[in-house]
Amino acid sequence: MLTTPATRPALRLLLLSAASAFCVLAPFEAQAQGNGAPAATTDPAAPVDGAVAGPAAVASDGEAADATAATGSSAAEGDTPDQWRTTTSLLGEYKYPDDFEHYDYVNPNAPVGGTLNRVASGSFDSLNPFIIRGTPAAGLATFGGGLLYDTLFEQSPDEPSTSHALIAEAMRYPADFSSVTYRLDPDAKWHDGQPITVEDVIWSFEKLKELHPQWNAYYRNVESAEKTGEREVTFSFDETGNRELPQIIGDMTVLPKHWWEGTDAAGNQRDISQPTIEPPLGSGPYKIGAFQTGQSITWERVDDYWGWDNPVRVGRYNYGQIKYTYFRDESASWEAFKKGGLEDFRVENSAQRWSEGYDFPAAQNGEIIKTEVPDGGVSSMQAYVLNNRLEKFQDRNVRKALNLVYNFEEMNRTLFYGLYQRQKSYFDNSELAATGLPSERELEILEPLRDQIPAEVFTDEIGFPDYSERGVARTYLREALSLFQEAGYRLEGNRLIDAETGTQFSIEMLGSDPRDSRVLEPYAKDLRRLGIDVNIRIVDPNQYVERMRNFDFEMVGMAYYPQSLSPGNEQRDFFASDAADAPGSRNYAGVKNPAVDKLIDAIVYAESREELVAATRAMDRVLLWEYYVVPQWNKADIWLAYWDKLVRPEDTPDYAGLDPYSWWTKAAAAAADAGDAGAASTGAAAN
């Protein structure tokens, strides 16, 4: 359902913005998660070793603000329907009272100022992230507001599937989940001082659905948005029973209608359907300052930002500036971090670097701090993704054979220092992951689909080849060859060929950075042993993004967008047949399976947590047994390295693991101390 702040909000957005060239995919080695939709306040983490980057109570108008506050649990779990609420959760009781002042883990008195330096890969050519064309600058986000915009509600970094009021001061929905009404905060305003209006919300909703397939799919069941009060907007749905729809409306980025429908300094009509390098008007904590297209962009903190007293903002966004500098690839970005002054913190995505790379002076003398932060969220699928739109991958025997050839144990031992575990689910490390044989509730969901899904779903536990024992490699290769033969191929010398055409089976592996070869080549080597012609193709980040948007690849290593503990509508964009051929969707594998479509509906319309878990596990089983991807690896901790110019609060958010926006700089702290000392001195002199 929602992907809260990336299940790690601030981290996901910050990382995503830093790698805007990879904005369509989460990176190889690191992963984020959330409520289902990508979180609004975070960035996707960098790929985990080898994965290729790509690739969240008040009364109605005229009533007292504290009249009917929510009391700590979602309506879905038994609250009175149609009450106004400032917090909404899909998981039952939530952590904070409705009158909370700030998140527990932040320092509400954090000093403000200084510069956070970040790097981004590739380049950018647009400041409009809401369209398919162009590569948006770091700090902007295709999902959520990024640094520039606010959303109606904001997903919490501190607990899953929970959102708090932001532009909207409250929301309510009926017991059958057939609509939702958001009431806007009268203090919410744009950076030019104009109020954020219901008209802005309606225009944003209509434009976002029109401009990008991601939003069109995500909100496809939202029939209309209309003004139902001076500050109220009601979204009506074409269905009932979808528990997450009311909440995910809150993820929507609100855009300034008056600005986009106006003219620029030269008198030219603006057009939101086109790329632009004119800094757009925003409403969020930062605005665009100086920038050089494709090279750097600086974000400036908005001193008179309307939301500084909002609980989700207190103690956060403390940097006076956030500057992104672009580098051509990951290797250059790493060198920039080592140098200092260009990259102030790094979520490490390479086991080799984490184990051996921090041997330079700054890391040895304490200027750089290394630490591991527990990551308790969902480990979303990271895999060698097959483009199942291609005829060569449409035979399940072929896909199963490609899975059998992958030797994770060897890669983990020789490349990753034994630091990873095998990815075994699309929802790994959570209760949503399918294990063992289907439960009774899962069988009730799967039985009507028996003739449409692999028989193993009902009879076998999900298994993966285990290369830890000596001599098993030949066994797996023989089994893989047998499957290829069943699919119409034969071995001719050292070439695996189509028995009818004589054409050798071939695969092009796509990457966006020279270092990607490190994790593509070992798998390619094993595939070649089977007689497959494998070519590794490394392209520049911008070309990579364009090719992924248009599904112009055969195989790619990538981490999927973060999954959440409350999956829902976003699964349609990930795996539904309608999204398979829609450019810009996140159905990278090209899954077109009526059974999967029905299982997604079972998730979306689940009436209880138990039913949701069962439906998700059922879908997980079918996706795994169909072998649409070759699962790779994940890890349970976030590897963090940062220069000691930064200060972190003692606590970290329970859900996100990291929230870099809650940190501050030593320079800001020193300036604040100097100011306090100066004030005290002046006061003493006056006395």
Side-chain angles (χ1 to χ4, degrees), residues 28-74:
F28 234 172
E29 258 199 60
Q31 296 156 355
Q33 61 222 337
N35 296 358
T41 49
T42 13
D43 317 5
V48 177
D49 246 327
V52 178
V58 190
S60 61
D61 285 314
E63 299 180 77
D66 60 351
T68 54
T71 57
S73 64
S74 70

Side-chain angles (χ1 to χ4, degrees), residues 233-246:
V233 54
T234 297
F235 297 85
S236 299
F237 310 144
D238 64 3
E239 59 183 7
T240 58
N242 187 335
R243 298 169 65 251
E244 78 159 349
L245 259 182

Side-chain angles (χ1 to χ4, degrees), residues 358-401:
Y358 288 79
D359 57 355
F360 51 97
Q364 297 295 314
N365 63 23
E367 292 180 84
I368 287 178
I369 300 168
K370 281 181 66 182
T371 186
E372 297 184 15
V373 180
D375 180 6
V378 179
S379 292
S380 303
M381 176 58 72
Q382 179 170 297
Y384 299 103
V385 177
L386 309 176
N387 188 343
N388 292 272
R389 302 166 187 83
L390 305 178
E391 185 177 356
K392 69 174 73 178
F393 297 131
Q394 289 178 8
D395 191 309
R396 179 172 172 265
N397 281 330
V398 168
R399 302 194 299 268
K400 181 177 180 180

Side-chain angles (χ1 to χ4, degrees), residues 126-311:
S126 177
L127 301 177
N128 180 3
F130 303 109
I131 58 176
I132 295 178
R133 290 182 55 201
T135 301
L140 297 166
T142 55
F143 186 97
L147 298 174
L148 184 61
Y149 303 103
D150 283 334
T151 51
L152 290 170
F153 268 41
E154 181 167 288
Q155 296 178 31
S156 171
D158 211 22
E159 52 188 330
S161 306
T162 300
S163 297
H164 301 291
L166 191 53
I167 286 177
E169 65 179 2
M171 58 91 82
R172 66 181 179 185
Y173 48 87
D176 64 357
F177 306 99
S178 60
S179 67
V180 65
T181 299
Y182 281 86
R183 188 175 69 249
L184 305 191
D185 189 323
D187 294 329
K189 64 181 180 181
W190 301 105
H191 292 161
D192 64 1
Q194 292 200 35
I196 298 177
T197 66
V198 169
E199 288 72 23
D200 289 321
V201 177
I202 295 173
W203 185 85
S204 300
F205 166 73
E206 293 173 346
K207 284 297 180 182
L208 289 172
K209 287 194 67 177
E210 172 189 320
L211 294 170
H212 204 290
Q214 171 181 298
W215 288 102
N216 191 43
Y218 200 48
Y219 290 139
R220 76 176 189 182
N221 296 116
V222 184
E223 201 167 43
S224 64
E226 60 181 326
K227 186 173 184 177
T228 51
E230 181 182 355
R231 292 186 287 116
E232 294 181 12
V233 54
T234 297
F235 297 85
S236 299
F237 310 144
D238 64 3
E239 59 183 7
T240 58
N242 187 335
R243 298 169 65 251
E244 78 159 349
L245 259 182
Q247 185 165 331
I248 65 175
I249 290 291
D251 293 332
M252 190 178 73
T253 307
V254 181
L255 305 173
K257 177 182 178 182
H258 70 282
W259 190 88
W260 282 105
E261 291 191 341
T263 56
D264 61 21
N268 299 315
Q269 178 65 51
R270 297 188 180 99
D271 185 353
I272 195 173
S273 69
Q274 300 298 319
T276 182
I277 58 171
E278 179 188 11
L281 177 70
S283 62
Y286 290 86
K287 63 182 178 181
I288 296 173
F291 67 92
Q292 290 181 287
T293 305
Q295 299 181 46
S296 66
I297 183 169
T298 298
W299 292 84
E300 298 177 349
R301 193 174 190 269
V302 179
D303 292 335
D304 62 349
Y305 168 54
W306 74 273
W308 287 131
D309 293 331
N310 188 291

Side-chain angles (χ1 to χ4, degrees), residues 84-102:
W84 288 104
R85 63 191 71 248
T86 58
T87 296
T88 179
S89 175
L90 294 167
L91 296 181
E93 292 190 358
Y94 40 81
K95 177 176 182 179
Y96 294 97
D98 296 292
D99 60 351
F100 82 106
E101 297 181 354
H102 55 77

